[in-house]
Amino acid sequence: MDRFLIRGGQRLTGTIPTSGSKNAALPALAACLLTADPVTLEGIPNVRDINTMERLLAHTGAIVQRDGNSVTVAATNLDRPEAPYDVVKTMRASSLVLGPLVARAKVARVSMPGGCAIGARPINLHVTALEALGATTHQDHGYIEARAPKGLQGKLVTFDKITVTGTEDLMMAATLANGETIIENAAREPEVEDVANLLTKMGAKISGAGTSTIRIQGVARLHGATHRIIPDRIEAGTFMIACAITGGEVRIAGCQPAHLGALIAKLRQAGVTVEEENADTLLVRAGDTLRSTDITTEEHPGFATDLQAQFMALMTQATGISFVKENIFENRFMHAPELTRMGANIRIDGRQAIVAGPTQLSGAQVMATDLRASASLVLAALVAKGETTIDRVYHIDRGYERIEEKLQAAGADITRIS
Ligand code: EPU
């Protein structure tokens, strides 16, 4: 298993490029199952979760070809419309194929995800939404099977709770339903909008994606298309925080500043300068000191839960007390004990972490537990005194494309040990 060896204390400078968004690429790949024609997706990051989704599509019978960051999927035959346990257990986003498969193949069998490191993460909302469109579902042997032999029927669906992949799953299924589907209380994440843009290029009739009401007029079939995935706002945000924590000055290139509003506001509040140099470049410059800043994670456009762990690492270096509240997942503070082992002063009180800073962090042997928690340990290590070893780097590889190479190029002392 790979490890990272990081020697802290280097100030980051230069330009860091942004990869395509993992969380937009995952539903986009699933959307390819909706048509028999080839779909080409550009800007697909080469990370483990995406490789897992590629394997899953191949399992269903689709032909998947990768050329650099371009992936072409031809789902001409869907011989096995299922997501087996072996795949789902390593990547919960596998449930994104449920909607497309039942819409196109009229049947889908997807392993139920179990608990995971950041919370229970059930898929009940995906299932209830598809049932509302007329699918009958049946659960046994750890699988959920959905059937719609006569096709899905458009309907008004109001989500009890905002769900990102649930919204995407339903939106994809509804593109091939009879009549109109209206999704109320839909997720407004940029990734939802990006998938809607892809689906529209494939011939779907969708309006309102990016707002909390999405309308989908079902069509008989979708066709092939070519689409470039949006930049990864979480990756860009992680590098912005890396710059701030090391007292650096970094250009984040190829990003989408409009998707990073909540983080930019909080970084400025903490004393970091963030300038929009042009439409796709942000210049981030650390100030002399960092001020304590509170965050509360919320659905988009609020502060992203996927940047909470990284921001907490930053607040260990800020003067004063910062309150970090996690509203989306019930168990997303696993980085806190590891940061504490490095010298941070963090107290957990239910869904809130109280960070007292600044503390001098010192290098230690720490363990990655989930994707974003691992990223926060990398950030802490960049500013810690001495050497940090991070075990179980495969968690980082799930969602960050060559993170060590990008950080090295900006001056970090980080090595991968295989
Ligand atoms: N929820 C339910 N039932 C459901 C679905 C969700 O109770 O059927 C709950 C979840 O347990 C959670 C809340 O609703 O408490 C929101 O979960 P959501 O469904 O929005 O999360 P997701 O779609 O499974 C996506 C991202 C996550 C990101 C969350 C929140 C993808 C592939 N994953 O997950 O990304 O944290 O939205 O923004 O888009 C990551 O990239 O590290 C990551 C975990």
Side-chain angles (χ1 to χ4, degrees):
M1 252 186 280
D2 289 7
R3 287 178 294 155
F4 279 158
L5 188 65
I6 301 173
R7 288 187 197 87
Q10 310 299 322
R11 190 173 165 263
L12 297 194
T13 54
T15 300
I16 305 184
T18 315
S19 294
S21 161
K22 164 185 83 85
N23 287 350
L26 287 169
L29 285 163
C32 297
L33 298 177
L34 288 162
T35 175
D37 297 347
V39 177
T40 298
L41 301 171
E42 292 165 355
I44 299 288
N46 202 353
V47 297
R48 276 170 55 111
D49 274 7
I50 297 295
N51 304 147
T52 304
M53 184 58 99
E54 289 167 353
R55 273 209 319 281
L56 175 52
L57 298 187
H59 176 90
T60 66
I63 294 166
V64 183
Q65 283 170 315
R66 186 184 262 278
D67 177 11
N69 285 113
S70 231
V71 174
T72 299
V73 180
T76 311
N77 299 308
L78 292 178
D79 307 327
R80 262 180 308 191
E82 62 162 22
Y85 175 68
D86 281 351
V87 180
V88 178
K89 77 171 186 221
T90 63
M91 189 187 64
R92 312 172 57 79
S94 311
S95 50
L96 279 167
V97 301
L98 184 63
L101 285 178
V102 73
R104 166 112 184 276
K106 315 269 190 264
V107 58
R109 216 172 149 259
V110 172
S111 171
M112 301 283 288
C116 90
I118 62 176
R121 302 187 76 188
I123 57 162
N124 58 309
L125 298 172
H126 301 228
V127 174
T128 315
L130 291 173
E131 282 172 350
L133 264 54
T136 52
T137 67
H138 175 70
Q139 192 188 328
D140 68 10
H141 307 296
Y143 279 78
I144 182 99
E145 190 171 281
R147 286 182 179 275
K150 295 195 183 118
L152 296 168
Q153 184 62 46
K155 203 65 193 284
L156 168 67
V157 179
T158 305
F159 277 115
D160 288 346
K161 187 172 183 175
I162 298 178
T163 160
V164 178
T165 51
T167 300
E168 293 161 349
D169 217 356
L170 175 60
M171 181 170 72
M172 292 189 281
T175 59
L176 292 181
N178 295 311
E180 189 183 45
T181 299
I182 302 173
I183 309 179
E184 295 277 17
N185 204 24
R188 292 179 286 164
E189 268 64 6
E191 293 76 16
V192 175
E193 206 176 335
D194 196 41
V195 186
N197 289 340
L198 163 66
L199 292 167
T200 303
K201 287 181 192 169
M202 292 166 68
K205 306 238 173 301
I206 303 177
S207 64
T211 76
S212 50
T213 303
I214 305 177
R215 287 169 188 271
I216 306 117
Q217 195 68 50
V219 295
R221 62 183 54 81
L222 297 179
H223 51 73
T226 297
H227 180 71
R228 175 164 288 277
I229 298 296
I230 52 170
D232 195 314
R233 63 193 168 103
I234 306 302
E235 188 205 25
T238 303
F239 291 134
M240 291 165 76
I241 299 173
C243 167
I245 205 170
T246 62
E249 179 170 336
V250 170
R251 273 190 180 77
I252 310 290
C255 67
Q256 183 68 263
H259 296 167
L260 285 155
L263 175 66
I264 293 172
K266 286 296 172 182
L267 284 174
R268 285 180 178 154
Q269 207 177 318
V272 179
T273 302
V274 183
E275 284 167 21
E276 209 174 306
E277 272 202 337
N278 55 51
D280 74 348
T281 309
L282 284 169
L283 176 63
V284 183
R285 196 182 310 115
D288 293 336
T289 53
L290 274 168
R291 288 190 290 271
S292 60
T293 305
D294 302 339
I295 56 161
T296 299
T297 65
E298 282 163 7
E299 291 88 1
H300 194 78
F303 194 96
T305 173
D306 290 344
L307 286 168
Q308 176 259 106
Q310 300 89 314
F311 201 83
M312 191 189 294
L314 179 66
M315 286 303 100
T316 68
Q317 302 307 300
T319 304
I321 308 279
S322 311
F323 293 90
V324 174
K325 190 154 187 229
E326 174 56 56
N327 264 338
I328 307 294
F329 292 107
E330 68 269 28
N331 185 25
R332 211 175 194 184
F333 283 145
M334 261 119 32
H335 42 287
E338 295 297 284
L339 292 172
T340 305
R341 291 185 57 241
M342 296 175 75
N345 182 346
I346 303 172
R347 190 163 64 81
I348 304 292
D349 179 14
R351 285 190 167 229
Q352 183 161 272
I354 302 140
V355 187
T359 43
Q360 169 68 64
L361 301 181
S362 63
Q365 190 167 357
V366 290
M367 198 168 75
T369 46
D370 82 78
L371 173 55
R372 309 304 174 185
S374 319
S376 83
L377 298 179
V378 170
L379 300 183
L382 291 177
V383 76
K385 213 175 172 151
E387 213 170 84
T388 298
T389 314
I390 303 181
D391 286 325
R392 303 198 182 174
V393 161
Y394 60 84
H395 284 293
I396 304 187
D397 294 335
R398 290 184 51 186
Y400 289 92
E401 192 171 46
R402 305 187 316 273
I403 192 171
E404 74 278 22
E405 288 176 27
K406 290 190 182 186
L407 288 172
Q408 270 161 14
D413 186 344
I414 172 169
T415 331
R416 180 186 289 264
I417 302 171
S418 291

